[in-house]
Amino acid sequence: MDFGNRSKARSKVDESNVTIDEHYPHRLQLYSTPPSGTISLQEFEELAVERLKVLKAVETIGITHQKGTPKYLELLTKEISATKLKDSILQKRKLPPGEEVENRVRDHISHFILRLAYCRSEDLRRWFLTQELDLFRFRFQEENTESKARFLKCAGLKYKPVSTEERDSVVKELDGTDHLTNTTDLEYYKVPFTEALDLVRGRKVFLRAGFAYVPRDDLVSILLSVFRVQLSHALAITARALPGMEEDGRLLPMLCGLSKRYLGQDYSVKKQNVGVVTADMIDMLSKKSFPLCMQNVHVHLKQSHHLRHGSRLQYGLFLKGIGLSLEEAVKYFRIEFMKSMDVDTFDKKYSYGIRYNYGKEGKKTDYTPFGCMKIIMNNPPATGDSHGCPFRHFDTDLLKQRISSQGLTKEGVETVMKYTKGGHCQVACAKYFELTHGISDSGTEVEMVIQHPNQYFERSQKLLNGPAKPSSTPRTVKIVSSQSSTPGSSGGSAVVVKSEPIDEDMDDDMGFSATELASLDEMAAA
């Protein structure tokens, strides 16, 4: 692909002289031909993020629900509908040719962008391959019979339905398969048995003369095998060609960071949240609403009165995100650290780092709290560290002991550990949340997946305290100069202080603190 600088007004993907019949005869594809044309960097990143959202939804729902069930299909359709690729993936309505080809181009390009991002390691390739196969299965099963047949022809897969005469000649053998009750209305495909090994292994097909008679509904298993071989080979080739892209400083940082990118709600600190949490509230909140990763750092701090750099960064930004102000953060860490050092040592070695997190030192960047993927993938903890994700970095026995101490039933502990052993850390955290907050039993279904420690905290607080109440109307101060009319006065001007509802259009910097307001109210009363 050619990635050039284009005008921002032209943000839509575009391929020269693309027609549906030539390049995209079917909305399903095996992605065997790389795209060509020009695309802006902004559109490049947007397509990558939207495709990643789709694959994350495929992964999460596939873990928590049985694939192919009505509930699975319903939830996956709902999640995909919330992305900007919904018309490219789902497309439940007939579109004009122009919109149709644009949607197919977006689907095509977004797949190849993530292929670039996820070819870098064996683990990333395996994840990408698994999710793309599940997405293909979902999309193929949503097609009608005519569309499926057209796809087979467009993809060059020479799987043709067996004739009625041939089917009738083997109908007794077909009736003998365990999962079929009526073969007269079913369509069968005759394929070499080596291409249907999964079905042969499960004894789901009839074999004769080196061919397998595959029911139409099971044909997707054959297609997935073909797709798996092609995509696996393509990922390996892309990985070998990737060093050539390292010269482009625009693409490489984004591609490297995609697998760790947080895609959920923004938990950066907002002005109205600053100060809602104070240093003396943290102990109580940690027991009720901190995720296990932050509980672990908190307990370590209380025991050793010190945190190493990775732990200070992860924990400090989390506290910042829940509303701890800079002043309260310095106070909180000073109290704990001074139990193992003097105040001068703390001020020289550690206060700078706290101010740095709040954008008051160094590059003056207002840093945001870490999301789950960044905690899981970045900077794994070493000996003496307390940061990281317990569901990823804890020893199995230690993790089991830790979650058992939270009052979970034996069945609940086993459910959490099942997700953990499967490598589904965020799903395990979500199940842990539901069990500790009494909103779920020990079953396997999970309502939502935890994407961010601050999401965990926010949801916990809503469950414990109910929806946040709107704050009372803030006040400002109006200074009025008037002539004194008191008998015996010198006729000079007097200052009258009035508290009034704040004008929402007024600049925030014009407001006074609560302490200043109280002082001014006393002046007015005097």
Side-chain angles (χ1 to χ4, degrees), residues 30-35 108 111-122 124-126 128-129 132-133 225-243 245:
L30 298 178
Y31 307 104
S32 54
T33 305
H108 191 207
H111 167 88
F112 275 89
I113 295 174
L114 283 200
R115 186 184 288 189
L116 287 172
Y118 278 82
C119 70
R120 307 181 67 83
S121 71
E122 182 62 33
L124 291 178
R125 288 195 292 269
R126 187 183 302 112
F128 179 69
L129 183 63
E132 282 287 346
L133 288 173
S225 297
V226 174
F227 190 25
R228 181 184 293 108
V229 171
Q230 290 188 11
L231 184 53
S232 180
H233 179 66
L235 285 168
I237 292 176
T238 307
R240 290 198 295 268
L242 197 60
M245 293 189 59

Side-chain angles (χ1 to χ4, degrees), residues 334-382:
R334 179 183 285 126
I335 290 172
E336 289 299 329
F337 277 51
M338 281 177 57
K339 295 176 182 178
S340 62
M341 64 185 68
D342 57 58
V343 65
D344 289 338
T345 302
F346 173 83
D347 288 340
K348 288 178 182 178
K349 290 187 175 181
Y350 302 104
S351 61
Y352 177 89
I354 299 172
R355 296 195 303 273
Y356 189 92
N357 288 348
Y358 282 78
K360 303 301 182 183
E361 300 285 357
K363 295 187 295 184
K364 304 294 179 71
T365 301
D366 193 13
Y367 293 97
T368 58
F370 291 171
C372 289
M373 287 307 300
K374 190 166 186 176
I375 293 173
I376 291 170
M377 303 293 290
N378 272 5
N379 189 23

Side-chain angles (χ1 to χ4, degrees), residues 279-347:
D280 57 352
M281 297 167 60
I282 293 177
D283 280 346
M284 176 189 65
L285 291 173
S286 69
K287 298 173 184 177
K288 295 181 178 181
S289 298
F290 279 20
L292 200 57
C293 55
M294 300 305 169
Q295 281 186 27
N296 184 56
V297 182
H298 179 80
V299 170
H300 184 87
L301 174 61
K302 288 294 181 180
Q303 291 175 346
S304 65
H305 310 299
H306 183 265
L307 292 175
R308 299 177 72 175
H309 175 72
S311 305
R312 294 198 305 272
L313 192 59
Q314 177 178 312
Y315 189 50
L317 291 176
F318 168 77
L319 294 178
K320 176 186 175 185
I322 68 175
L324 193 70
S325 67
L326 173 59
E327 293 75 16
E328 289 292 317
V330 172
K331 174 184 174 182
Y332 173 71
F333 285 105
R334 179 183 285 126
I335 290 172
E336 289 299 329
F337 277 51
M338 281 177 57
K339 295 176 182 178
S340 62
M341 64 185 68
D342 57 58
V343 65
D344 289 338
T345 302
F346 173 83
D347 288 340

Side-chain angles (χ1 to χ4, degrees), residues 389-441:
C389 173
F391 299 102
R392 171 66 179 268
H393 300 120
F394 270 22
D395 174 76
T396 302
D397 293 335
L398 175 60
L399 176 61
K400 195 169 184 178
Q401 177 185 348
R402 185 65 60 85
I403 61 178
S404 298
S405 67
Q406 301 296 319
L408 272 64
T409 64
K410 183 179 179 181
E411 293 77 11
V413 171
E414 291 302 323
T415 301
V416 174
M417 293 305 298
K418 182 188 74 171
Y419 286 128
T420 303
K421 291 173 183 177
H424 310 303
C425 306
Q426 293 164 266
V427 181
C429 186
K431 193 62 186 179
Y432 170 81
F433 176 92
E434 293 179 358
L435 292 171
T436 53
H437 286 76
I439 59 176
S440 173
D441 56 21

Side-chain angles (χ1 to χ4, degrees), residues 50-323:
E50 293 303 314
R51 185 78 176 201
L52 187 55
K53 287 180 181 178
V54 171
L55 297 188
K56 289 285 187 182
V58 170
E59 178 192 29
T60 301
I61 298 171
I63 294 168
T64 57
H65 295 80
Q66 184 178 350
K67 296 173 185 177
T69 61
K71 185 67 173 177
Y72 170 85
L73 299 175
E74 176 190 347
L75 290 175
L76 188 51
T77 300
K78 180 180 178 182
E79 290 296 321
I80 295 176
S81 297
T83 70
K84 295 180 180 179
L85 288 178
K86 59 184 178 181
D87 288 332
S88 301
I89 304 295
L90 299 175
Q91 194 175 333
K92 296 293 186 180
R93 55 194 178 91
K94 185 71 174 178
L95 296 174
E99 291 184 39
E100 177 70 18
V101 71
E102 183 180 336
N103 285 327
R104 295 182 185 183
V105 169
R106 288 167 64 85
D107 173 40
H108 191 207
I109 294 179
S110 64
H111 167 88
F112 275 89
I113 295 174
L114 283 200
R115 186 184 288 189
L116 287 172
Y118 278 82
C119 70
R120 307 181 67 83
S121 71
E122 182 62 33
D123 287 341
L124 291 178
R125 288 195 292 269
R126 187 183 302 112
W127 183 88
F128 179 69
L129 183 63
T130 301
Q131 310 320 320
E132 282 287 346
L133 288 173
D134 284 346
L135 178 61
F136 179 84
R137 179 192 290 110
F138 166 75
R139 297 178 68 185
F140 183 80
Q141 291 175 337
E142 292 290 291
E143 299 291 331
N144 56 39
T145 303
E146 179 184 352
S147 180
K148 289 177 180 178
R150 190 168 68 253
F151 168 72
L152 294 177
K153 180 180 179 181
C154 296
L157 301 173
K158 300 178 181 180
Y159 302 142
K160 296 182 179 180
V162 299
S163 63
T164 304
E165 295 77 11
E166 186 175 2
R167 186 188 65 186
D168 291 343
S169 68
V170 294
V171 67
K172 291 182 180 180
E173 286 81 359
L174 296 177
D175 278 335
T177 54
D178 294 338
H179 68 301
L180 297 175
T181 56
N182 182 8
T183 61
T184 57
D185 297 328
L186 285 176
E187 194 171 46
Y188 286 85
Y189 292 81
K190 187 177 177 181
V191 302
F193 84 95
T194 54
E195 298 182 22
L197 294 180
D198 288 343
L199 297 175
V200 172
R201 185 182 301 112
R203 298 186 177 185
K204 294 182 177 181
V205 291
F206 168 63
L207 295 178
R208 183 177 182 180
F211 287 92
Y213 289 78
V214 182
R216 180 186 62 232
D217 293 341
D218 287 335
L219 187 63
V220 66
S221 178
I222 311 294
L223 301 179
L224 288 174
S225 297
V226 174
F227 190 25
R228 181 184 293 108
V229 171
Q230 290 188 11
L231 184 53
S232 180
H233 179 66
L235 285 168
I237 292 176
T238 307
R240 290 198 295 268
L242 197 60
M245 293 189 59
E246 294 183 355
E247 298 176 0
D248 193 330
R250 301 168 300 170
L251 296 180
L252 192 62
M254 191 194 70
L255 292 173
C256 292
L258 266 177
S259 61
K260 307 169 189 175
R261 178 171 292 202
Y262 170 64
L263 303 174
Q265 179 182 339
D266 179 17
Y267 286 98
S268 58
V269 181
K270 300 178 178 62
K271 288 185 178 180
Q272 62 267 29
N273 290 337
V274 176
V276 298
V277 173
T278 57
D280 57 352
M281 297 167 60
I282 293 177
D283 280 346
M284 176 189 65
L285 291 173
S286 69
K287 298 173 184 177
K288 295 181 178 181
S289 298
F290 279 20
L292 200 57
C293 55
M294 300 305 169
Q295 281 186 27
N296 184 56
V297 182
H298 179 80
V299 170
H300 184 87
L301 174 61
K302 288 294 181 180
Q303 291 175 346
S304 65
H305 310 299
H306 183 265
L307 292 175
R308 299 177 72 175
H309 175 72
S311 305
R312 294 198 305 272
L313 192 59
Q314 177 178 312
Y315 189 50
L317 291 176
F318 168 77
L319 294 178
K320 176 186 175 185
I322 68 175

